[in-house]
Amino acid sequence: MFIQTESTPNPATLKFLPGQNVLEVGTADFPSVEAAENSPLAKRIFAAGGVTGVFFGLDFVTVTKADDVAWDHIKPGILGAIMEHYQSGQSVMADDHKPVSGHAEHSGEDAEIVGQIKELLDTRVRPAVAQDGGDITFHGFERGIVYLHMQGACAGCPSSTLTLKMGIENLLRHYIPEVVEVRPVAA
C-alpha cells in the first residue's frame, strides 16, 4: 500500500491519501481523542502520538499535529497507523456511526436563501477546500450573516479568515444579495 502525503495551507495539518475510499459519503471530524471513539482508524492515528485532530473526507485523511511536535517525528507513526488499519480489514467507522453530510438543517422564512447558500457551498466551495484537506459547512443564517463551520485543515488555518472573507463571502454576496457577511463558528 502506498500512501501519498500532501501539505495543506495549514502548516499544522497534513493530508494523507491512502489510494482508496476513506468514507463512502460525507465527512467525519474528530477534534479530540475522545471524539474518535466511533472510529478504529481515528483511534489508531491518535495513538501515534502528537496528534490533536483527525478529519476524514471521501478519499483522504487530514491530521493536525500539536504545536510542539515536528512532522518528521510523528509522520512515520501516522503512516504506519493508516497502513496497519487498512491491512487489518476493519471498517473506518464503527457500524453504528455514520458520517454526516455536514450542513445544519434550516427551515423557516429564509429556507430558499439557505438552499441557495448550501448549493453554492456544495458546488463551488467544498470541492476546493477538500483539495486542501478540509471542509466548510453551513451552520446558520441570521439577518444576512452566514455562519460556517470549518473542519480539517481549514480549522485553525492561518489563511482561513482570508478564505472566508475574500473568497466565500464575496462569492455568496455576488450570487445572493441577501448575504451581507460570513462568519466562522466553533463546533
Side-chain angles (χ1 to χ4, degrees):
M1 173 178 217
F2 178 72
I3 302 169
Q4 287 182 285
T5 307
E6 294 179 358
S7 60
T8 72
N10 184 346
T13 304
L14 282 179
K15 181 178 174 182
F16 295 85
L17 298 136
Q20 53 191 290
N21 277 358
V22 176
L23 295 176
E24 295 297 322
V25 295
T27 61
D29 189 25
F30 308 97
S32 67
V33 68
E34 295 81 21
E37 197 55 42
N38 291 318
S39 172
L41 175 55
K43 285 197 290 192
R44 273 192 168 108
I45 294 169
F46 274 106
V51 174
T52 60
V54 177
F55 179 80
F56 298 154
L58 296 178
D59 64 350
F60 66 89
V61 174
T62 301
V63 178
T64 304
K65 70 171 186 67
D67 291 337
D68 61 343
V69 178
W71 278 116
D72 291 346
H73 295 126
I74 64 169
K75 187 175 165 185
I78 294 167
L79 287 166
I82 295 170
M83 193 172 303
E84 182 181 292
H85 175 81
Y86 279 99
Q87 290 173 346
S88 77
Q90 278 188 294
S91 62
V92 171
M93 303 294 288
D95 293 335
D96 61 341
H97 188 78
K98 300 288 183 228
V100 295
S101 67
H103 296 309
E105 292 300 317
H106 185 93
S107 59
E109 62 187 58
D110 297 327
E112 187 176 326
I113 295 167
V114 169
Q116 293 172 352
I117 292 168
K118 288 179 181 181
E119 183 176 339
L120 281 170
L121 289 173
D122 287 342
T123 58
R124 301 276 184 107
V125 177
R126 293 177 84 187
V129 296
Q131 288 185 344
D132 285 339
D135 197 11
I136 296 179
T137 57
F138 174 83
H139 186 77
F141 179 72
E142 188 176 326
R143 291 189 220 128
I145 301 171
V146 178
Y147 296 92
L148 300 177
H149 179 70
M150 302 183 345
Q151 299 173 309
C154 296
C157 178
S159 62
S160 64
T161 303
L162 186 64
T163 299
L164 271 180
K165 290 295 180 187
M166 302 307 289
I168 300 168
E169 184 176 291
N170 287 343
L171 173 81
L172 293 177
R173 288 175 67 187
H174 176 78
Y175 288 102
I176 306 168
E178 293 85 355
V179 172
V180 295
E181 186 180 357
V182 172
R183 293 183 187 167
V185 295

